[in-house]
Amino acid sequence: MRFRYASAAAAVLSTAAIVLTTPGTAGAAATAEVVPGRARILVNVHGVPVHPESCRVDPDADGNTQSLPLEPSSRMVAHQVAPGKRHVKVWCPDGGIIYDGFVDVLPADPVADFFDTVFRTAGSSDRVTDPTLR
């Protein structure tokens, strides 16, 4: 009789432990990380449960409005962004506007971009000066 109670108690405790330690995604809200660079903006979206490519990025919401799709990897780089303070919006169907803020885009520098590409190709990404290329 004691054996039945002990095994039932062990089953209840192990089920509770599994439920409490299993991570859930239902409460996770989508967020976006926006990094400005030289004539570029890097966007990383986190917490989109399905199809991150359905999210859209507007790298210049106050000027030349665009709706650029995110890549399936939840990351994208918007190129040829005018230098200066830019209003960036990131929108996902499941989460609405998940980023609405301003970033300072630096002017283009082809020489620095060339050296950053050389460093990245050589495996020295820690020497890359533009954060959007890391």
Side-chain angles (χ1 to χ4, degrees):
M1 187 74 147
R2 287 184 186 165
F3 181 70
R4 286 186 195 167
Y5 291 122
S7 63
V12 168
L13 288 176
S14 65
T15 302
I18 290 170
V19 168
L20 292 175
T21 59
T22 303
T25 58
T31 60
E33 174 190 11
V34 178
V35 179
R38 290 188 298 265
R40 288 181 284 274
I41 296 175
L42 168 68
V43 178
N44 287 312
V45 174
H46 309 284
V48 177
V50 182
H51 304 295
E53 63 271 15
S54 64
C55 295
R56 297 290 184 255
V57 176
D58 189 354
D60 190 7
D62 291 337
N64 183 19
T65 302
Q66 301 175 42
S67 181
L68 304 174
L70 211 62
E71 295 176 8
S73 65
S74 299
R75 176 185 169 115
M76 67 96 54
V77 177
H79 295 277
Q80 299 178 352
V81 178
K85 191 171 192 173
R86 297 286 157 233
H87 186 191
V88 179
K89 287 187 180 184
V90 180
W91 179 84
C92 294
D94 297 336
I97 295 176
I98 60 172
Y99 183 88
D100 185 1
F102 291 87
V103 295
D104 290 319
V105 178
L106 300 172
D109 186 348
V111 174
D113 286 348
F114 171 78
F115 285 111
D116 283 351
T117 303
V118 169
F119 290 137
R120 276 182 49 195
T121 305
S124 299
S125 60
D126 58 330
R127 299 190 69 185
V128 173
T129 58
D130 188 339
T132 63
L133 297 176
R134 290 186 189 144

